Amino acid sequence: MTPAGEWRPALVALDVDGTIVTYAEFHRPPRAVVVDAVRRAHDAGAHIVVATGRSMHSTLPLLDQLGLKDGYAVCSNGAVVVDVESRAPVDIETFDITDTVRYFTTRIPDAVLAVEELGRGYRVTGEFPAGDLDGTVTVVPHEALVAQPVTRLVVRWPDGDRDRLREIAHASGLPSVDYAIGYTAWLDIMPVGVSKASGLSKVAGKLGLQGADALAVGDGHNDVEMLRWAGVGVAMGQAPDDVKAVADAVCADVESDGLATVLDGYFA
């Protein structure tokens, strides 16, 4: 990346997997070079906001590892905004998944589904591949899954194809389906209009800031809205080409600690 120049972001929005840590490091602390860069940015006065598809219970340990003790975090792809100091949600978006569950169980009978139990874990309809979920995982029948509104629905197709899953989602026609395909055949379905960008917009409002004041860094399709929302959006070097296309800049990949380079360009 080129030197940051005179503009310095007041808010720094950071994706986690593929940005702060590699996908292989899901259960490990971030590398020291990344932690140090994040802390320098925080100490320089920037509001550091982790914006992740991870659930709240998966995000809180990472905040500790980064040394973040105040401010906000955006979890569940924007459905949950967390107060870091109190470690409690301050904004939650939910929706009714009855029709959505019916559609995907009909179209993909061998898919397994999950919904978050905020702060605890997941309710699931079957066994997920090892390492996919953390926290308390409880197997329940489909009717129990739809008993109440939820923050998001996860559709996991262990033996399926990611592109085919995307096609099935596009064909659903369900007004409540908004989704982010992960790096495997995994589908996150959120309430309409909910994204990392919508969660960050709420956080910015609480801080008296706007998207133009923000730097955002991410690597996935669930980061596209966030990269567009921020004054400067940076895609990681390993990001898909269509994610890079919406970014203002592209940095080195996560294996090369690209995030640390970006932050040091503004806060060295």
Side-chain angles (χ1 to χ4, degrees):
M1 288 186 61
T2 56
E6 295 185 2
W7 182 79
R8 176 178 280 189
L11 187 156
V12 176
L14 302 176
D15 169 52
V16 175
D17 298 294
T19 301
I20 294 176
V21 299
T22 69
Y23 286 102
E25 295 171 330
F26 183 92
H27 297 291
R28 303 176 196 166
R31 300 177 192 182
V33 64
V34 173
V35 173
D36 290 345
V38 169
R39 289 179 178 175
R40 280 193 291 273
H42 178 271
D43 292 346
H47 296 279
I48 308 298
V49 183
V50 167
T52 179
R54 292 190 184 191
S55 59
M56 184 178 81
H57 70 269
S58 296
T59 304
L60 292 176
L62 176 79
L63 301 179
D64 294 336
Q65 292 160 1
L66 291 172
L68 300 176
K69 296 179 171 54
D70 54 16
Y72 300 93
V74 174
C75 304
S76 305
N77 284 319
V80 180
V81 176
V82 177
D83 179 276
V84 174
E85 183 176 10
S86 68
R87 304 172 74 88
V90 293
D91 192 281
I92 303 171
E93 297 273 5
T94 62
F95 69 128
D96 184 341
I97 59 171
T98 304
D99 290 341
T100 309
V101 167
R102 184 181 300 116
Y103 174 79
F104 282 101
T105 52
T106 300
R107 293 296 303 272
I108 316 175
D110 56 332
V112 286
L113 311 179
V115 298
E116 289 183 35
E117 291 193 295
L118 196 59
R120 296 183 65 247
Y122 297 88
R123 286 177 285 138
V124 302
T125 61
E127 185 176 350
F128 272 62
D132 270 10
L133 302 176
D134 60 354
T136 302
V137 178
T138 305
V139 178
V140 299
H142 284 76
E143 54 267 25
L145 208 67
V146 302
Q148 59 192 29
V150 301
T151 54
R152 68 168 166 178
L153 171 69
V154 176
V155 180
R156 183 70 161 91
W157 196 7
D159 299 319
D161 176 76
R162 179 174 59 179
D163 292 333
R164 178 58 182 150
L165 182 56
R166 183 181 286 113
E167 291 172 2
I168 292 171
H170 272 302
S172 71
L174 291 166
S176 61
V177 174
D178 199 358
Y179 56 89
I181 300 285
Y183 67 101
T184 60
W186 173 296
L187 181 72
D188 272 359
I189 302 170
M190 289 83 67
V192 168
V194 171
S195 67
K196 291 184 182 183
S198 68
L200 286 165
S201 182
K202 293 174 182 177
V203 169
K206 293 176 183 295
L207 299 173
L209 300 172
Q210 300 177 339
D213 302 310
L215 166 72
V217 189
D219 79 308
H221 290 105
N222 60 337
D223 295 314
V224 167
E225 294 90 348
M226 174 177 80
L227 297 179
R228 287 176 171 150
W229 171 83
V232 175
V234 179
M236 299 296 292
Q238 81 284 352
D241 288 342
D242 53 343
V243 175
K244 292 177 180 177
V246 306
D248 299 295
V250 178
C251 68
D253 62 31
V254 65
E255 296 283 357
S256 304
D257 301 316
L259 173 60
T261 303
V262 172
L263 294 179
D264 284 347
Y266 292 99
F267 303 103

